[in-house]
Amino acid sequence: MPFHEDELEAAEEVHLRSLTAAEAEGDERAVEAALRPRSLDEVVGQSRVRDQLGLVLEAARQRGRAPDHVLLSGPPGLGKTTLAMIISHEMNAPLRITSGPAITHAGDLAAILSGLNEGEVLFVDEIHRMSRPAEEMLYLAMEDFRVDVVIGKGPGATAIPLELPPFTLVGATTRAGLLPGPLRDRFGFTAHLEFYEPEELDRIVRRSADLLGVDLAPDGSGEIAGRSRGTPRIANRLLRRVRDYAQVRADGVVTRPVAQAALDLYEVDELGLDRLDRAVLDALCRRFGGGPVGVSTLAVAVGEERETVEEVAEPFLVRNGFLARTPRGRIATRAAWTHLGLAPPALPYDESGPTLFED
């Protein structure tokens, strides 16, 4: 059955937004796998984390033991899964991958742990979303390499201890604050990944272009890096879209003018803001005078769900100084007015004016 016009517009909006989304979905994961670095020496950026993790792994190799459990935190798209794969590669150990939402019962975790061999690396993505019973089982497994399997129910239930071979748990989370303290404390090494500098992203784009066989000019890589929101995943995604544009509408060489034309077509501006980001700022400045305004009201104004505005658009806008969260609501900063080409008011908002509370 053919799409209606509004359905086509919605599909287009989702596609454009996915260009600057930090999460990877569907077939993109397979493309990412081909571009991931295979060793710590190939990793660009995150120098502090790279040096610290290299020391942990080298010490474990010299002792002939599995390294301590590792917790990787930070926004999506910065390389947590890549580092887990590198840990497995550096230790020459098999890697098993699962996720917190997939472990809904303690029995799910017991089945995974009981199948581990000595020295294996178990990677749990979104570990903060694991069920509470599974978390409690994980405490004992991480500390004593043992799980208690409960047989039966009620007064007749019996706990049978099951010994586990030494293994390394690598947990990844975008919300470290949601992890209970007892779980965080059982990780021997904790690393927080930071957003990348444009120079680092430029190197990542050039490396990915070599792997993809893209004819990339130096000024072209810099243009893509500058619009990638500090995130390698977004940089690689934009590179592929610019490559398509260069192939179809240019001579196949990705120069700065070609990159600019391609990213303008996909509505990613020179600072990495996409259509949703600009819609939020435009509504905040033009319709609400810069705020304060509640996030639910702001979401209705741009035709999106509250969670989409709060979790997709706001983090980038706040981090780059375009929007501020206050107890009275969201307000636009002077940088937001300037970016939209508008004259900022004397104050971000009128202190004596009415307040739009969060709803």
Side-chain angles (χ1 to χ4, degrees):
M1 185 172 63
F3 278 166
H4 295 296
E5 183 177 351
D6 55 346
E7 292 175 322
L8 285 170
E9 291 178 355
E12 180 186 10
E13 174 72 20
V14 170
H15 169 68
L16 292 175
R17 190 184 310 146
S18 68
L19 286 178
T20 53
E23 294 83 4
E25 297 181 356
D27 295 340
E28 186 178 18
R29 295 184 183 276
V31 178
E32 277 192 354
L35 300 178
R36 296 185 192 275
R38 308 294 181 184
S39 66
L40 283 176
D41 293 336
E42 296 180 11
V43 174
V44 176
Q46 309 292 346
S47 57
R48 177 181 53 84
V49 172
R50 189 176 66 241
D51 292 344
Q52 293 173 349
L53 184 58
L55 185 62
V56 170
L57 299 181
E58 179 59 30
R61 278 195 297 265
Q62 291 182 9
R63 291 193 301 267
R65 301 181 61 183
D68 287 343
H69 304 301
V70 176
L71 177 63
L72 303 172
S73 65
L78 299 187
K80 296 184 290 295
T81 302
T82 297
L83 285 178
M85 293 180 174
I86 287 175
I87 291 172
S88 171
H89 179 268
E90 296 279 350
M91 298 305 299
N92 195 27
L95 175 69
R96 296 205 183 190
I97 300 177
T98 187
S99 66
I103 304 175
T104 57
H105 305 286
D108 299 333
L109 181 62
I112 295 172
L113 294 174
S114 62
L116 294 175
N117 296 316
E118 184 172 354
E120 279 196 61
V121 177
L122 173 62
F123 175 56
V124 181
D125 198 10
E126 298 183 279
I127 193 171
H128 62 276
R129 296 177 60 186
M130 192 184 307
S131 67
R132 182 54 58 88
E135 280 180 0
E136 294 173 352
M137 173 177 285
L138 194 57
Y139 298 160
L140 191 61
M142 294 174 67
E143 199 162 38
D144 298 332
F145 298 108
R146 191 186 87 226
V147 293
D148 291 333
V149 180
V150 179
I151 305 297
K153 297 182 179 179
T158 303
I160 301 177
L162 177 64
E163 298 296 327
L164 302 174
F167 68 95
T168 297
L169 173 68
V170 179
T173 177
T174 56
R175 307 182 69 179
L178 296 183
L179 285 178
L183 181 57
R184 284 198 307 269
D185 294 343
R186 282 170 169 78
F187 287 96
F189 174 70
T190 301
H192 181 78
L193 275 62
E194 305 287 349
F195 286 100
Y196 289 65
E197 296 297 327
E199 297 78 12
E200 296 169 339
L201 288 172
D202 184 87
R203 293 166 56 193
I204 291 173
V205 170
R206 285 188 276 113
R207 175 184 178 274
S208 298
D210 289 340
L211 294 174
L212 294 173
V214 178
D215 192 350
L216 179 66
D219 59 351
S221 63
E223 186 65 28
I224 295 172
R227 304 193 189 202
S228 299
R229 303 166 76 112
T231 306
R233 176 176 289 154
I234 296 176
N236 288 330
R237 186 184 297 142
L238 296 183
L239 171 65
R240 298 197 300 275
R241 299 290 72 78
V242 172
R243 172 199 60 185
D244 296 343
Y245 182 95
Q247 177 183 332
V248 175
R249 298 193 179 180
D251 59 0
V253 181
V254 177
T255 61
R256 183 177 183 183
V258 169
Q260 288 175 331
L263 295 175
D264 288 345
L265 174 66
Y266 287 112
E267 300 186 76
V268 180
D269 70 18
E270 65 275 8
L271 296 182
L273 275 68
D274 62 13
R275 180 192 295 179
L276 175 61
D277 300 323
R278 290 190 300 275
V280 169
L281 294 184
D282 189 79
L284 188 55
C285 293
R286 295 182 189 273
R287 302 187 193 181
F288 302 107
V293 60
V295 64
S296 294
T297 303
L298 194 58
V300 171
V302 299
E304 289 286 352
E305 297 292 332
R306 172 186 175 133
E307 291 75 14
T308 302
V309 172
E310 201 166 21
E311 298 177 12
V312 177
E314 280 194 353
F316 181 70
L317 295 175
V318 171
R319 178 167 61 89
N320 287 271
F322 291 111
L323 180 146
R325 293 172 172 171
T326 74
R328 302 180 66 193
R330 274 54 173 173
I331 62 172
T333 66
R334 185 172 296 271
W337 291 86
T338 303
H339 187 70
L340 294 177
L342 304 174
L347 292 174
Y349 57 90
D350 183 1
E351 291 284 355
S352 62
T355 300
L356 296 174
F357 292 101
E358 298 291 322
D359 45 359

